[in-house]
């Protein structure tokens, strides 16, 4: 049954989606506004009404991106992503219906222009881990990457508060913000740190580890931070004065014990290991409160954010806690605690962030090192004019292509989101001619054939993590941009074609 009519519709007069309910436009704006800094899925379905019969043709498209900014004015709705191509502009005068889901995580807008009706679905979306980790690699600004999903929330709030006090205003830096879609931990964070240090980074990538892993602590012992090269740095959370007696800390220990114990509106809070008896798991002060999680050799300041139970029955041994069917979990999760702080929810908005100055003092030192370092760096062995081959300890190789062009073209290359490329042998079979196309601009790079270059091509065909990077300067030799190129399956096809031609 066709729901669209040819004439202009009365607002919210169309049949609604079975999963949703109709809402005023202002309410839709209120729901969309918190989508800022979130990933969204946008689906557009075009329904074209025919003047000559009752048929409606339909087409659709969709996109997924992270929202940078959302603007509303009297005439328009504007949603911008972090890439130039990620945007959605809507004229309010053409909207005829707005709906939302029961969970308030999706909004549907119906847009009419003459005989065309467009259904626009905007839904919060949880990207997979691979897509999220690409954000680290492709970051356009200095970036802090933390060990846990709560760490960045505490640090982001602390930096905001400290900047409001006039401190650390020079630190223009973003945080890698993630939730359950990325399973980080110190081992994963260390691997990502090592991987990022293999390749050139225009901006800082700073990896911050909790101070609760002895092996990582030993690696950083005696150093405020480690410079891994290529603008990649790491540090361990420095120990605030009030934790010097218990130096194995997580980020929550930057707050005082009384602040850690702050209760939310439901009387839930975090607990510390020293509050409980090791044998019975009973809380030392609170009546009928137990946890089975305390154990020997656990740090006194260890945070317990789960399995703290209210039990009215008498408990003699910790094992009895598990067997009790009437237990009620009264703990506040670390993630909820961090979210309360980041969102400035009372009474968590009064918790002090002064201890975090220790962290940002170190980050300020890293910025100082970044701005005063010699920007000339070892780019490997020159195997052809402007072409360098750099080998790393883990057997990966990076082929760096350095070139210059007009500033106008260099900026086009920097802004390009897609690079087309082709490879072929020169007529004398002494060089490989690599051509690259960016936004209607084309550059050609001749690379002399040598055993080292052929060896790299062979490795590249076997493993895409052997990278090809393009570095562009303008006519005045000012460094403009760098980007990885040729990291898809087409590269393997072209390389095999080069080898086939050489063998013929």
């Amino acid at each position: 049954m066709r729901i669209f009519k040819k004439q202009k519709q009365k607002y919210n007069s169309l049949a609604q989606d079975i999963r949703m309910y109709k809402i005023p436009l202002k309410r839709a704006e209120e729901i969309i506004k918190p989508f800022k800094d979130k990933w969204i899925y946008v689906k557009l379905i075009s329904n074209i009404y025919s003047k000559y019969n009752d048929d409606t043709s339909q087409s659709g498209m969709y996109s997924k991106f992270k929202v940078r900014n959302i603007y509303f004015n009297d005439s328009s709705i504007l949603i911008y992503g972090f890439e130039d191509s990620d945007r959605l502009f809507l004229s309010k005068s053409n909207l005829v219906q707005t709906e939302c889901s029961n969970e308030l995580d999706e909004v549907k807008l119906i847009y009419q222009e003459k005989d065309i009706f467009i259904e626009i679905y905007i839904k919060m979306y949880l990207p997979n881990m691979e897509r999220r980790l690409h954000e680290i690699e492709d970051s356009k600004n200095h970036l802090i990457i933390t060990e846990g999903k709560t760490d960045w929330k505490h640090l982001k709030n602390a930096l905001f508060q400290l900047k409001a006090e006039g401190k650390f205003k020079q630190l223009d830096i973003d945080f890698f913000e993630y939730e359950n879609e990325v399973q980080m931990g110190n081992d994963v964070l260390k691997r990502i740190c090592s991987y990022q240090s293999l390749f050139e980074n225009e901006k800082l990538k700073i990896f911050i580890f909790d101070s609760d892993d002895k092996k990582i602590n030993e690696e950083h012992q005696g150093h405020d931070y480690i410079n891994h090269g290529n603008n990649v740095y790491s540090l361990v959370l420095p120990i605030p004065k009030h934790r010097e007696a218990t130096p194995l800390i997580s980020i929550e220990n930057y707050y005082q014990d009384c602040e850690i114990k702050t209760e939310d509106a439901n009387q839930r809070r975090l607990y510390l290991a020293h509050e409980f008896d090791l044998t019975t798991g009973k809380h030392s002060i609170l009546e009928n409160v137990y946890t089975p999680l305390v154990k020997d050799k656990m740090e006194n300041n260890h945070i317990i954010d789960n399995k703290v139970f209210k039990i009215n029955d008498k408990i003699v041994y910790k094992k009895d806690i598990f067997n009790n069917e009437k237990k009620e979990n009264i703990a506040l999760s670390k993630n909820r605690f961090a979210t309360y702080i980041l969102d400035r929810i009372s009474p968590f908005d009064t918790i002090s962030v002064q201890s975090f100055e220790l962290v940002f003092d170190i980050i300020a030192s890293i910025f100082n090192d970044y701005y005063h370092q010699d920007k000339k760096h070892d780019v490997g062995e020159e195997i052809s004019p402007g072409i360098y081959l750099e080998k790393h300890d883990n057997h990966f190789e990076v082929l760096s292509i350095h070139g210059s062009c007009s500033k106008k073209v260099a900026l086009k290359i920097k802004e390009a989101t897609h690079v087309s490329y082709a490879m072929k042998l020169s007529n004398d079979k002494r060089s490989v001619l690599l051509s690259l196309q960016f936004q209607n601009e084309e550059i050609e790079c001749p690379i002399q054939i040598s055993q080292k270059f052929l060896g790299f091509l062979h490795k590249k065909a076997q493993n895409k993590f052997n990278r090809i990077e393009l570095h562009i300067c303008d006519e005045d030799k000012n460094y403009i941009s760098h980007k990885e190129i040729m990291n898809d399956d087409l590269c393997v096809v072209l390389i095999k074609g080069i080898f086939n031609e050489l063998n013929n």
Side-chain angles (χ1 to χ4, degrees), residues 41-265:
Y41 173 99
V42 180
K43 180 169 67 174
L44 289 85
I45 300 175
S46 298
N47 300 274
I48 304 175
Y49 171 77
S50 173
K51 296 180 180 179
Y52 306 105
N53 53 50
D54 287 340
D55 291 337
T56 301
S57 62
Q58 190 176 82
S59 62
M61 60 179 292
Y62 70 91
S63 178
K64 298 172 182 176
F65 61 88
K66 188 176 182 181
V67 177
R68 183 182 63 192
N69 281 311
I70 299 173
Y71 299 103
F72 304 108
N73 56 39
D74 292 340
S75 60
S76 305
I77 297 174
L78 305 94
I79 301 176
Y80 294 89
F82 283 80
E83 300 294 336
D84 288 343
S85 57
D86 296 334
R87 58 180 66 185
L88 179 64
F89 297 165
L90 294 174
S91 170
K92 289 183 179 180
S93 63
N94 292 92
L95 289 176
V96 295
Q97 187 150 304
T98 42
E99 305 171 33
C100 74
S101 63
N102 290 322
E103 296 79 14
L104 304 183
D105 64 345
E106 183 175 10
V107 171
K108 176 184 175 182
L109 312 173
I110 300 180
Y111 186 90
Q112 179 184 2
E113 187 169 0
K114 295 183 179 179
D115 297 323
I116 301 176
F117 289 81
I118 303 176
E119 299 171 72
I120 304 159
Y121 296 83
I122 306 172
K123 181 178 177 64
M124 277 199 288
Y125 156 73
L126 187 65
N128 60 32
M129 183 170 179
E130 182 178 1
R131 182 185 287 266
R132 291 305 322 276
L133 294 181
H134 278 314
E135 289 181 54
I136 298 175
E137 185 175 330
D138 299 334
S139 174
K140 301 295 191 297
N141 196 19
H142 304 299
L143 190 67
I144 289 174
I145 308 99
T146 60
E147 181 177 320
K149 66 181 181 181
T150 64
D151 295 43
W152 67 264
K153 296 178 182 179
H154 292 290
L155 289 167
K156 183 177 180 179
N157 171 70
L159 183 57
F160 178 81
Q161 298 299 326
L162 292 169
K163 281 186 174 183
E165 298 173 10
K167 303 172 183 176
F168 304 109
K169 287 192 172 183
Q170 78 279 20
L171 299 185
D172 178 20
I173 196 162
D174 294 334
F175 294 85
F176 178 59
E177 302 180 9
Y178 64 96
E179 296 289 344
N180 293 328
E181 77 277 12
V182 177
Q183 301 300 313
M184 192 68 80
N186 53 19
D187 289 338
V188 175
L189 187 68
K190 186 176 180 180
R191 288 199 297 271
I192 297 173
C193 177
S194 298
Y195 176 76
Q196 291 295 322
S197 68
L198 296 177
F199 313 111
E200 233 179 281
N201 297 282
E202 184 178 353
K203 300 290 187 177
L204 285 168
K205 290 182 172 63
I206 301 174
F207 293 81
I208 300 180
F209 294 87
D210 284 351
S211 181
D212 56 1
D213 185 290
K214 291 183 179 180
K215 185 176 180 181
I216 292 175
N217 289 352
E218 289 171 359
E219 291 175 7
H220 289 78
Q221 189 171 7
H223 306 281
D224 286 341
Y225 58 83
I226 295 176
N227 183 347
H228 298 270
N230 286 324
N231 292 327
V232 173
Y233 293 77
S234 69
L235 64 119
V236 168
L237 287 174
I239 309 302
K241 285 187 176 181
H242 66 282
R243 298 298 178 192
E244 288 177 351
T246 54
L248 294 180
I249 65 170
S250 58
I251 201 162
E252 291 81 11
N253 295 124
Y254 266 62
Y255 307 111
Q256 300 289 335
D257 285 1
C258 60
E259 295 172 323
I260 291 172
K261 298 175 185 178
T262 301
E263 292 186 348
D264 71 1

Side-chain angles (χ1 to χ4, degrees), residues 17-29:
D17 191 296
I18 192 171
R19 301 177 299 110
M20 299 185 174
Y21 60 93
K22 299 176 186 179
I23 55 174
L25 177 56
K26 282 292 183 184
R27 177 59 179 146
E29 291 181 7

Side-chain angles (χ1 to χ4, degrees), residues 395 397 454-464 466:
H395 307 297
E397 295 182 353
L454 293 178
F456 170 79
L457 289 182
H458 177 74
K459 285 189 171 184
K460 176 69 173 173
Q462 298 298 316
N463 189 333
K464 69 177 182 179
N466 293 285

Side-chain angles (χ1 to χ4, degrees), residues 10 30 36 88 107 131 185 189 193 266 271 273 278 303 342 351 356 379 414 425 440 466:
K10 181 181 177 182
E30 292 172 2
K36 183 178 183 295
L88 179 64
V107 171
R131 182 185 287 266
L189 187 68
C193 177
N266 298 311
Y271 291 82
L278 288 175
I303 305 291
L342 181 62
I351 292 178
F356 287 90
V379 291
K414 181 177 182 178
L425 278 178
N440 299 322
N466 293 285

